[in-house]
């Protein structure tokens, strides 16, 4: 049941992250003046998202759209961050299609909400956390923000519409982020299009109170925002762009040419990835060589598939709904592969950080397997219903 406006609120200091009412509920939803406030409440797991949370968030967002709320304030409990991503243990042992389709429907609902969703990406915001906030009407970062799409570390690829954000980043920085599971600070997030406003964390409570008073969200955010810090990642373009352009092509691998098929895009992505890793390893720049070492630690299949997905999203100018449909088709297939189970074991369960990918090198990937993963939807597969 969704709490009504009489639900008691906990007191909050001006410098704290969400200080939500004490409750065992995984999602805390309450009316806060003119707005609905929704808090992810699984702080010990950095608010990792599971199926129950997706279902509750979907219901509560719909209720906020129907009850006269002027906006939704979306934040996370605890002192580590908004959300560390989806609960990959649940995905690896449950029904990936059910879990992911429920998540993607929610992400689309956030993006198309009739009232603005204000996503507070304070602290760690990764994977599924970006799915919830990266497509929101107003996306707020702070000096504590740490954003990433780290899926290649566990044998899948950026999903939750992340390929749309990666494809829209300046130059080829989206590819660099994806293949390294790179981390962004507030300045990076705004420069690369993952966030809209930089608000110091000690002003978040003032912003929430202003929104609760009924002020227009954009006006309220502008009243507390500051210029974003300089972006470190934009500086990476100097050395990265020439390498990426040479390896992946100026128009991008699988650049949407006449007669291009899913198979040809898969082959182009594999060829491009092989050229890219060779270029990085043979470049005299130690930064490039360091990036090559990072990429070598990622799942080789994930690297190639995500390069193909970013190229397709960019070349075909896919919408969020189309990208989410692509995500379901591809990620469910990846979730059933041994690499995903191995990535979850190494990074989440045993935490030895030493996954044994199969195969272990990009150069040894089977082109037929990449084509299978990227193939159009099969007759026995269910499309995402948005």
């Amino acid at each position: 049941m969704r709490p009504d406006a009489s639900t008691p609120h906990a007191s909050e200091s001006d410098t704290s992250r969400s200080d939500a009412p004490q409750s065992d509920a995984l999602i805390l939803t309450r009316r806060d003046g003119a707005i609905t406030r929704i808090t992810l409440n699984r702080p010990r797991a950095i608010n990792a998202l599971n199926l129950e949370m997706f279902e509750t968030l979907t219901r509560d967002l719909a209720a906020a759209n129907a009850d006269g709320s002027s906006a939704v304030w979306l934040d996370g409990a605890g002192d580590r961050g908004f959300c560390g991503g989806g609960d990959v243990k649940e995905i690896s042992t449950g029904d990936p299609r059910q879990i992911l389709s429920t998540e993607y429907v929610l992400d689309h609902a956030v993006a198309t909400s009739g009232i603005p969703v204000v996503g507070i990406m304070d602290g760690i915001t990764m994977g599924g956390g970006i799915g919830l906030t990266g497509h929101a009407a107003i996306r707020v970062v702070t000096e504590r923000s740490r954003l990433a799409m780290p899926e290649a570390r566990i044998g899948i690829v950026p999903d939750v519409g992340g390929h749309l954000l990666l494809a829209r980043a300046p130059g080829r920085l989206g590819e660099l982020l994806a293949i390294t599971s790179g981390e962004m600070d507030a300045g990076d997030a705004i420069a690369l299009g993952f966030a809209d406003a930089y608000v110091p964390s000690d002003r978040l409570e003032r912003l929430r109170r202003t929104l609760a008073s009924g002020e227009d969200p954009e006006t309220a955010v502008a009243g507390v925002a500051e210029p974003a810090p300089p972006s470190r990642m934009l500086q990476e373009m100097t050395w990265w762009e020439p390498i990426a352009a040479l390896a992946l092509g100026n128009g991008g691998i699988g650049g949407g040419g006449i007669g291009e098929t899913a198979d040809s895009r898969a082959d182009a992505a594999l060829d491009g990835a092989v050229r890219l890793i060779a270029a990085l390893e043979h470049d005299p720049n130690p930064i490039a060589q360091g990036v090559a070492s990072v990429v070598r630690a990622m799942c080789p299949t994930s690297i190639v598939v995500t390069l193909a997905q970013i190229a397709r999203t960019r070349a075909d100018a896919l919408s969020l709904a189309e990208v989410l449909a692509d995500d379901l088709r591809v990620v469910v297939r990846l979730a059933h592969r041994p690499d995903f189970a191995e990535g979850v074991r190494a990074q989440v369960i045993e935490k030895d950080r030493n996954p044994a990918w199969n195969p272990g090198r990009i150069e040894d990937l089977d082109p037929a397997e990449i084509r299978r993963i990227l193939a159009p939807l099969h007759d026995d597969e269910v499309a995402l219903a948005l």
Side-chain angles (χ1 to χ4, degrees):
M1 180 179 295
R2 185 174 180 273
D4 61 22
S6 65
T7 301
H9 298 180
S11 61
E12 302 185 51
S13 71
D14 216 35
T15 58
S16 68
R17 289 186 175 90
S18 170
D19 184 15
Q22 296 299 309
S23 172
D24 292 331
L26 297 178
I27 301 295
L28 300 174
T29 301
R30 59 270 196 212
R31 189 63 180 264
D32 184 9
I35 65 174
T36 291
R37 183 177 183 184
I38 301 178
T39 301
L40 310 184
N41 189 39
R42 201 182 177 191
R44 291 184 179 178
I46 322 179
N47 301 312
L49 297 158
N50 62 23
L51 180 60
E52 178 185 344
M53 295 168 77
F54 297 139
E55 292 173 340
T56 303
L57 284 163
T58 301
R59 290 194 301 268
D60 290 356
L61 179 60
N65 271 267
D67 70 3
S69 295
S70 61
V72 170
W73 173 281
L74 181 58
D75 64 5
D79 60 2
R80 298 175 67 186
F82 168 66
C83 176
D87 186 336
V88 294
K89 288 183 183 178
E90 181 183 68
I91 296 171
S92 66
T93 58
D95 180 351
R97 185 175 299 278
Q98 179 191 13
I99 297 167
L100 294 173
S101 61
T102 306
E103 178 179 16
Y104 300 164
V105 168
L106 169 62
D107 295 335
H108 189 259
V110 169
T112 58
S113 173
I115 58 176
V117 175
V118 182
I120 307 300
M121 296 187 275
D122 186 26
I124 293 172
T125 305
M126 298 182 180
I130 289 180
L132 281 179
T133 51
H135 312 297
I138 300 176
R139 305 166 300 172
V140 175
V141 286
T142 75
E143 78 283 357
R144 304 187 289 210
S145 294
R146 293 170 51 201
L147 279 66
M149 299 295 296
E151 289 80 1
R153 291 185 184 277
I154 57 171
I156 53 175
V157 294
D159 62 338
V160 297
H163 282 128
L164 183 64
L165 300 172
L166 293 166
R168 291 175 175 174
R172 293 294 182 71
L173 289 180
E175 282 90 339
L176 180 60
L177 269 174
I179 66 174
T180 60
S181 294
E183 190 174 292
M184 294 176 282
D185 61 17
D188 295 329
I190 290 176
L192 272 64
F194 281 71
D196 304 303
Y198 173 69
V199 177
S201 58
D202 61 3
R203 298 182 188 177
L204 289 177
E205 173 59 12
R206 189 192 324 170
L207 173 59
R208 186 191 61 77
R209 289 198 302 262
T210 302
L211 289 169
S213 73
E215 185 164 332
D216 171 74
E218 291 190 2
T219 302
V221 172
V224 295
E226 289 188 355
S231 167
R232 168 191 53 82
M233 285 211 68
L234 284 183
Q235 300 175 15
E236 305 289 339
M237 293 180 72
T238 304
W239 69 268
W240 166 251
E241 291 298 316
I243 293 175
L246 185 62
L248 306 178
N250 288 319
I253 56 174
I258 295 174
E260 189 171 57
T261 65
D263 282 356
S264 64
R265 278 180 163 158
D267 292 346
L270 179 53
D271 291 344
V274 171
R275 289 193 300 268
L276 181 59
I277 194 66
L280 289 168
E281 288 180 332
H282 290 94
D283 195 282
N285 184 349
I287 297 176
Q289 295 173 16
V291 167
S293 296
V294 172
V295 175
R296 286 292 190 190
M298 304 295 158
C299 175
T301 300
S302 298
I303 297 300
V304 175
V305 172
T306 201
L307 287 175
Q309 290 295 84
I310 293 174
R312 168 170 152 75
T313 299
R314 186 185 290 128
D316 293 354
L318 298 184
S319 66
L320 176 60
E322 291 169 324
V323 172
L324 289 168
D326 252 12
D327 288 343
L328 186 64
R329 172 174 56 86
V330 170
V331 179
V332 168
R333 293 171 181 173
L334 291 171
H336 288 298
R337 299 182 73 253
D339 276 343
F340 178 54
E342 173 63 7
V344 173
R345 179 207 64 77
Q347 305 292 353
V348 180
I349 299 175
E350 297 180 12
K351 298 183 180 179
D352 60 31
R353 315 299 187 201
N354 188 31
W357 307 121
N358 184 23
R361 301 191 324 142
I362 292 171
E363 295 89 340
D364 298 329
L365 289 169
D366 180 1
E369 175 66 358
I370 303 301
R371 293 177 197 145
R372 184 194 69 79
I373 294 167
L374 292 170
L377 200 68
H378 301 153
D379 291 341
D380 60 347
E381 294 177 312
V382 179
L384 184 65
L386 294 175

